[in-house]
Amino acid sequence: MPERLAEMLLDLWTPLIILWITLPPCIYMAPMNQSQVLMSGSPLELNSLGEEQRILNRSKRGWVWNQMFVLEEFSGPEPILVGRLHTDLDPGSKKIKYILSGDGAGTIFQINDVTGDIHAIKRLDREEKAEYTLTAQAVDWETSKPLEPPSEFIIKVQDINDNAPEFLNGPYHATVPEMSILGTSVTNVTATDADDPVYGNSAKLVYSILEGQPYFSIEPETAIIKTALPNMDREAKEEYLVVIQAKDMGGHSGGLSGTTTLTVTLTDVNDNPPKFAQSLYHFSVPEDVVLGTAIGRVKANDQDIGENAQSSYDIIDGDGTALFEITSDAQAQDGIIRLRKPLDFETKKSYTLKVEAANIHIDPRFSGRGPFKDTATVKIVVEDADEPPVFSSPTYLLEVHENAALNSVIGQVTARDPDITSSPIRFSIDRHTDLERQFNINADDGKITLATPLDRELSVWHNITIIATEIRNHSQISRVPVAIKVLDVNDNAPEFASEYEAFLCENGKPGQVIQTVSAMDKDDPKNGHYFLYSLLPEMVNNPNFTIKKNEDNSLSILAKHNGFNRQKQEVYLLPIIISDSGNPPLSSTSTLTIRVCGCSNDGVVQSCNVEAYVLPIGLSMGALIAILACIILLLVIVVLFVTLRRHKNEPLIIKDDEDVRENIIRYDDEGGGEEDTEAFDIATLQNPDGINGFLPRWGLPIQWREERNPIQTCLFSRSRILRSLLFIFFHKDTKINCITQWTT
């Protein structure tokens, strides 16, 4: 602590001594209670501030400076004197009063209103507030009237080195690739100092490494950390702790310092090749193992990590390269050997493979360290297992003619037991594939025979499955598909491809093609179909028609003459013989129906019926339908007219023997009294047919009772209900009670 105080005093006195030497001779300095005096001729002005307070006078007027200085963090038994205010108007009679206002006036700074002395009554911290703006004024002691205008001045807090450097973002973490060259930049750090960077060296920082050498170095001023050793190996040491110091005062003795830590991690590069843990691997596998099964794993270790440690595995040599394969497991970083093709203990009992592991991602900077791959030998021993029978062929194709005799042998399958013990084999047919039981098999020798007749036209292919079972071990079963193709024989005669019906125009010309027909044959000869057409022997000299064979294996029927008349003969039947080219050839007779029709001039068939002859020429079917509709409409009108006339002439008198019943309908509409007699004509009511001839004649007499509100009472038969309703409609102004009579 004494060393620090002496250093502070030295920094404070040095600029004051230089200032004292350089001042002009006209200005003198006189010590005055270690305070600063601010004087002026007329207005109040501020004088300069120094550590040793002085009064600075000029010949005519006071200071022109307007600021004072006070040292921060000063703590003494008495308030510290900052400076003094003085005016030329003060003769020393104590009639002038000094007033101080502004930042901290009365709380931090106090003024002696008589002498003008300004004291700091609290401890100041420049880092909290660096300067204060105050206003001073001289007033009359008695009247408090201003003697001069107020003057503004500043009190600046002078800095001392009381804050140590701080690393605000620490601790730090950084990475650098391993095997980096000397001087590779790692990172940079920054410290801050709260002291004044302008005044002195309190905020001038110098960086150094306290711990972490000789691996890293730091730039003293920029704080850039670099590698101090080349080729640092991550596999040897991955993480380093570096302690960094920042010291103010330019690093001189007595300066304050702060420290932080930097953790440097070396990142991996591919500088190590893979290495198999052992040079020879042994595996054993049963001969009946399923294809694709993992037989074993091999692993090449790599000291690198991540993608730098990834390796690919390959089989580069050996006698089992066709039977085995190796794949890479990206998670476990090992190679998996799998079976690629079936094994046979009786054929070969062991295999030797040479596998290689090579890095996938190679860094060319380290290619000189050697090949980044390694090899190992793998020996695989095949173990014997009880295997199922093996057929001589994976599939069988048999052919049989469709006319083959029953129980005839159509083919044979063979199988053997591959084991050394060689168990006998029994054969059978999987009946799920032969539901109709068309085939049988000899259980001992595997000969397949025909059980039911075949028909190629129904089914060309039959697919069955043959089962081979070991007699000594029934669990050892094998299956093989057998495809049986039914060969064709000429057992179907040809016939017309469809039901043909030809139309012959009456106005046709001789030699005109009436119809072209084709034939079909259900058989399938090797060289294709070839048909022969001919007429029946008795029809060879047919006077009406002839036939012509076409190149496309079809037949055309031609007319020999014209002048056919459907009135004489409407239909002609032409039998045709169709023969194939099989061995022996088969034939059939098909009959073609030819109709004689009426045609237009351009040969379009219009009608093939004889009745059409009596119709006018040019009358279409649409016209016939229209005529028929008109006739039906006229008939309907006549029927309706007759019905209405009959309904009008029905008798109006009810027979005495009819069952008469009453249905009283009361209408409560009130009548108009005597006015009702003027609302209708009595004569008209007695003769309803007189009302425009519309109302029908009543069947019964109507009796009237004339009252104030007359009521009409009527009797109607059941057939007259409609007339009653019409009567009520036309005489709705009258209150009516109607008694309707009808017969059951």
Side-chain angles (χ1 to χ4, degrees), residues 258-400:
T259 60
T260 188
T261 59
L262 169 65
T263 302
V264 181
T265 303
L266 298 182
T267 57
D268 185 60
V269 297
N270 191 9
D271 58 339
N272 294 281
K275 185 70 176 176
F276 280 104
Q278 56 193 76
S279 59
L280 180 62
Y281 293 86
H282 292 274
F283 300 108
S284 59
V285 55
E287 63 173 334
D288 60 350
V289 69
V290 180
L291 298 182
T293 303
I295 296 173
R297 291 174 175 258
V298 296
K299 184 176 180 61
N301 299 317
D302 196 321
Q303 296 181 0
D304 297 321
I305 59 175
E307 66 176 15
N308 295 322
Q310 293 180 359
S311 299
S312 62
Y313 295 85
D314 295 291
I315 299 176
I316 59 175
D317 197 7
D319 54 0
T321 56
L323 298 176
F324 302 94
E325 63 181 1
I326 188 169
T327 58
S328 301
D329 188 344
Q331 297 295 330
Q333 291 296 318
D334 55 8
I336 305 173
I337 300 175
R338 300 181 184 274
L339 183 63
R340 188 176 178 183
K341 292 183 179 181
L343 299 174
D344 187 5
F345 173 81
E346 289 73 24
T347 303
K348 191 172 179 62
K349 297 178 175 59
S350 66
Y351 297 89
T352 301
L353 305 175
K354 186 176 182 180
V355 297
E356 177 186 77
N359 278 152
I360 299 176
H361 307 282
I362 298 177
D363 194 334
R365 295 177 299 172
F366 308 104
S367 58
R369 290 176 172 263
F372 285 81
K373 56 186 177 181
D374 193 21
T375 58
T377 302
V378 178
K379 294 188 69 67
I380 300 175
V381 177
V382 181
E383 299 177 348
D384 188 21
D386 190 4
E387 299 176 88
V390 178
F391 284 94
S392 60
S393 175
T395 59
Y396 290 88
L397 175 62
L398 305 179
E399 293 181 347
V400 56

Side-chain angles (χ1 to χ4, degrees), residues 137-154:
Q137 190 173 22
V139 301
D140 186 85
W141 185 270
E142 295 179 356
T143 63
S144 297
K145 291 183 178 181
L147 301 177
E148 294 179 357
S151 297
E152 188 179 84
F153 66 97
I154 298 174

Side-chain angles (χ1 to χ4, degrees), residues 174 176 233-240 263-268 305:
V176 63
D233 192 0
R234 186 199 64 84
E235 288 73 31
K237 186 176 181 180
E238 184 176 4
E239 194 172 87
Y240 296 84
T263 302
V264 181
T265 303
L266 298 182
T267 57
D268 185 60
I305 59 175

Side-chain angles (χ1 to χ4, degrees), residues 129-142:
K129 191 173 180 63
E131 61 180 34
Y132 298 84
T133 302
L134 298 164
T135 302
Q137 190 173 22
V139 301
D140 186 85
W141 185 270
E142 295 179 356

Side-chain angles (χ1 to χ4, degrees), residues 7 53 66 112 174 177 202 205 264 315 350 361 385 460 568 587 619 629 633 665 718:
E7 193 171 353
Q53 307 298 333
N66 60 349
N112 189 316
S202 299
L205 305 181
V264 181
I315 299 176
S350 66
H361 307 282
V460 180
K568 296 181 180 180
S587 63
L619 192 61
L633 181 60
I665 303 173
R718 182 177 58 182

Side-chain angles (χ1 to χ4, degrees), residues 493-498 500 516-523 529-533 549-550 552-556 576-580 586 588 590:
E495 57 186 7
F496 277 158
S498 62
Y500 292 103
T516 299
V517 298
S518 59
M520 59 169 291
D521 194 333
K522 294 180 181 179
D523 296 324
H529 293 287
Y530 183 79
F531 300 116
L532 298 176
Y533 301 92
K549 176 69 180 299
N550 300 322
D552 60 354
N553 218 19
S554 63
L555 178 70
S556 296
I576 299 175
I577 300 174
I578 309 173
S579 303
D580 59 18
L586 298 178
S588 67
S590 298

